[in-house]
Structures are given as structure tokens and as C-alpha cells.
Amino acid sequence: MKLSRRTILQAGAGSALALAAGRLMAKENSPGALLVLGGTGFIGPHITELALARGFSVTHFNRGKRDADGVENVETLHGDRKGQLDSLKDRKWDVVIDNTGYIPKYTKMSASLLAPNTGYCLYISSISAYASFAKPNDIGSPTGVLENKDQEEITNETYGPMKALCEQYVRDAYGARSSIVRPGYIVGPLDPTDRFTYWPVRVARGGDMAVPGTAADPIQIVDVRDLVAFMMALVERRVDGYFNAVTPPGAITMSDLMDTSRKVTGADTKLTWIDEDFLATQMKPEEMNFAPWGPMHGEEAGGSLTGMKASTEQGLKARSLEETVRDTLAWHETRPADRKAVLRSGFMPEKETEILAAWRARKA
């Protein structure tokens, strides 16, 4: 089977036959009907595959622009979060997973409509909801405040506060019948952002490689499959609360990511670590797209040290970094040639060459 939005092969974690067998067993004790608001992007296909394997009957609600013919074994309802909710009216589901709530007033609209007819809601937020990253956050840390509650434009400045207000609207509608999951950088197969994918792909290319910061700089990620497994566990037990979905603070460093990528690819890539202050003098802020790495000083210093004790207590586990790197590379090889050729994150090749030259020249 091919890694795609319609059918997710969890490399090394099972076969299509095993999934099919799991569905047959689960049907004997069906956990109920699940509505996914979205379902065909990055997280949605992974949610759908696991939910079907666990015996849920699954419905997608989306605009029908992606996978227009629908997804096998899934009911598809067409509409739009921006007020076109007619297909959801007078329907009942046991659970709703809100995978596409970004604009508060529309998240409020769907939550208010669905809450009377759904037993439980899991809202996928983001650690960006926190008000500040100067120090490490945990679930009790203050969240951002949106000045204009009717805000629709998503920018770097509004994204976090918009997610925070969406959280509030979900909790207003569902109360204890809901959970809020705040992932960090979600990585793995189907990730369209290339934020994690860039690093093992660049290591595989070999040569002299620029890497921001220092080898000891911590990073936090969550493999999409681990995120979905955690979410489904919350759903099945109807857990109430807020949860940060990240790897433990300090558990992974940039050196770990580089070393693991070299191990998986077999590449003898030379790493050149570039001081973050030096990078800031050589690049525009919008060019410094190096996630999951982030600055270790200033306003973002605590961004890679988010607490996740509550999630650990509820069963969040992280697979090995080696497995995530390997499976991400395997999926990347299935992508169209144009998407493999130009990644949306990391250094552009010309810029990397320029930075490396400037870094060496400063010592001359």
C-alpha cells in the first residue's frame, strides 16, 4: 500500500491485513460514531485510519476540495466552517474531533451547533496558544488574548491568540465533555510543511551542511501517529482537560536529530553549526524557518521546553526518533518530483552556501 491521504501505511507498525482484522474485531464492540471536522489534510487521514481500525463509524465534514470522491469506508458531508453547516444540522455523533478550527467565530458557530447532539469534543489547538515563550510553558500558563474576537486573518501575531479563543469557545459549549490538545511541531508522513522533513532530507544529500545553533539545543516534536494514538485514547475514555502534545523537554537535541538522520541515511555529512546571533545578521526574520529548532535566547527561549506531565499521565508516548526519521524519508520518496525538489522549510541551497561562506570568512 502507498502512503497517501486515502490509505496510511504505518511503516513498521503493522500491515493492511492487521488493520482489517482489527476493524472486524472492533465492530463487535463499536465505540460509536465519530465526526471529524476536516479529515483529508495531514492529521485527518491518520485519525481516520486509526478510528476505523478501532471500530468507529467515521464521518468527514469538509469542502470536498481534496479527495473529492471521498474516502473509502467514510461518510463525507460537504460544507464550509464559514457558516455553511447545513449538512451537520439534526445529526448526532458520539464524538467530534475538530481538526480545522482556526477562526474563533466559526469555531464557536460549529461548537454551538454540535454540542447538543454530540457527546464529547476533542479540539486540536497548538502550543502557540500560550501568551509568551520567554520561559517554558505548561498547561496552566497564560494563553494569548485576541483583541478583535471577530478576527479572521491568520498571521504570526494572531494565530496563537486565535487558537486560544477557539479553545475557550469549545469549552464554553462542551464543558467537561471536551479536551484541548496542544501539539507542538507535528512531524511524520504526510506533513506538508517540510519543517521536520527538511533535516533528514538535507542530511541525505551530504556535503557541508549548515545547522543553526548548537548541538545541545533542545527541540520538541510529536510524531503524527503518536499524537493520533494519544487523541484516540482521550476520546475513548472521554477525558476532560488540557494537554500539551510534545516530546519530553530536553529529551531530544538538534545533535540527536542530525546523528539519527546520518545513521538512517548512511550519509557522511559534515555539520557546521552556525551561531544563532550570526544567522540573525545574515538573514531576514521570514527566512529563518528552521523548525523544530528555535532560538535559545530572547522571546522564544522557552519554546522548546514545554511541559507535558499531564499528557504523560494520560498515556502519551513517543516512538523512537529513528523510526520517525526513517518513515518520514520513506514517505518523502513517494511525493511528486516538484515537492521533493523544493522544500518549504530550512535553508534554500543558495542561501546555505552563502551562509557557510560568510561563517568561514568571519574567522579569516
Side-chain angles (χ1 to χ4, degrees):
M1 296 173 87
K2 180 181 177 182
L3 280 166
S4 69
R5 289 189 175 90
R6 292 198 177 194
T7 223
I8 305 300
L9 173 60
Q10 297 187 2
S15 65
L17 181 60
L19 283 172
R23 288 178 191 150
L24 289 173
M25 292 175 65
K27 284 182 179 179
E28 297 178 2
N29 187 24
S30 174
L34 169 65
L35 170 66
V36 182
L37 300 180
T40 58
F42 171 27
I43 306 174
H46 292 280
I47 293 172
T48 301
E49 186 70 9
L50 185 57
L52 290 172
R54 297 279 181 89
F56 282 92
S57 61
V58 179
T59 300
H60 287 172
F61 173 80
N62 52 52
R63 294 174 296 174
K65 292 186 175 182
R66 188 184 284 149
D67 290 334
D69 296 331
V71 177
E72 185 179 359
N73 298 321
V74 173
E75 176 189 25
T76 298
L77 301 177
H78 287 156
D80 194 309
R81 296 297 298 264
K82 296 182 178 181
Q84 299 174 21
L85 306 178
D86 288 351
S87 61
L88 298 176
K89 292 179 179 178
D90 302 319
R91 292 287 304 268
K92 294 182 182 295
W93 289 274
D94 297 286
V95 176
V96 57
I97 294 179
D98 189 342
N99 184 36
T100 57
Y102 297 96
I103 301 175
K105 66 180 182 180
Y106 297 125
T107 298
K108 180 180 183 180
M109 189 181 299
S110 58
S112 298
L113 173 67
L114 291 168
N117 293 321
T118 50
Y120 179 85
C121 178
L122 186 148
Y123 174 69
I124 303 175
S125 183
S126 168
I127 63 169
S128 295
Y130 292 114
S132 170
F133 294 93
K135 296 181 180 179
N137 289 302
D138 211 332
I139 54 174
S141 299
T143 54
V145 177
L146 191 66
E147 293 184 5
N148 174 15
K149 292 189 176 183
D150 290 327
Q151 174 81 32
E152 293 193 40
E153 182 183 5
I154 300 173
T155 67
N156 287 337
E157 291 70 36
T158 65
Y159 175 73
M162 289 173 76
K163 293 295 275 187
L165 186 54
C166 287
E167 293 180 2
Q168 179 183 321
Y169 286 150
V170 169
R171 294 293 283 186
D172 287 346
Y174 283 91
R177 296 184 295 122
S178 63
S179 59
I180 307 297
V181 176
R182 297 169 176 159
Y185 292 114
I186 307 171
V187 307
L190 302 188
D191 176 14
T193 70
D194 298 329
R195 292 180 298 200
F196 179 86
T197 306
Y198 168 81
W199 301 106
V201 168
R202 175 60 189 89
V203 168
R205 196 165 75 233
D208 192 1
M209 177 178 175
V211 190
T214 73
D217 289 350
I219 60 174
Q220 287 182 295
I221 58 175
V222 61
D223 188 298
V224 64
R225 296 161 296 181
D226 297 331
L227 171 63
V228 167
F230 175 62
M231 288 164 46
M232 292 306 300
L234 296 179
V235 163
E236 289 171 336
R237 290 182 284 113
R238 306 297 197 267
V239 178
D240 166 33
Y242 293 78
F243 304 96
N244 294 326
V246 291
T247 46
I252 305 175
T253 65
M254 279 297 286
S255 179
D256 293 329
L257 176 55
M258 297 300 104
D259 291 344
T260 301
S261 296
R262 287 195 289 192
K263 177 182 177 182
V264 170
T265 63
D268 187 21
T269 307
K270 177 185 176 183
L271 305 179
T272 299
W273 299 90
I274 311 291
D275 180 78
E276 65 178 83
D277 292 332
F278 179 82
L279 281 174
T281 69
Q282 301 292 312
M283 304 180 72
K284 299 175 182 177
E286 62 270 20
E287 292 178 319
M288 294 183 64
N289 187 9
F290 301 134
W293 178 86
M296 295 292 106
H297 309 289
E299 296 180 358
E300 304 294 322
S304 297
L305 295 170
T306 302
M308 44 81 73
K309 181 180 178 182
S311 299
T312 299
E313 292 172 347
Q314 291 296 333
L316 176 61
K317 297 179 181 179
R319 68 193 60 212
S320 70
L321 183 58
E322 182 174 341
E323 182 177 352
T324 297
V325 168
R326 184 187 68 235
D327 293 352
T328 299
L329 285 168
W331 162 75
H332 178 70
E333 286 304 310
T334 72
R335 304 171 85 183
D338 61 329
R339 287 295 286 115
K340 289 201 294 182
V342 181
L343 298 184
R344 297 171 177 171
S345 189
F347 289 100
M348 294 298 291
E350 299 82 2
K351 193 66 179 181
E352 181 181 32
T353 300
E354 179 185 321
I355 291 292
L356 287 168
W359 179 250
R360 295 191 186 100
R362 96 197 196 291
K363 297 180 180 179

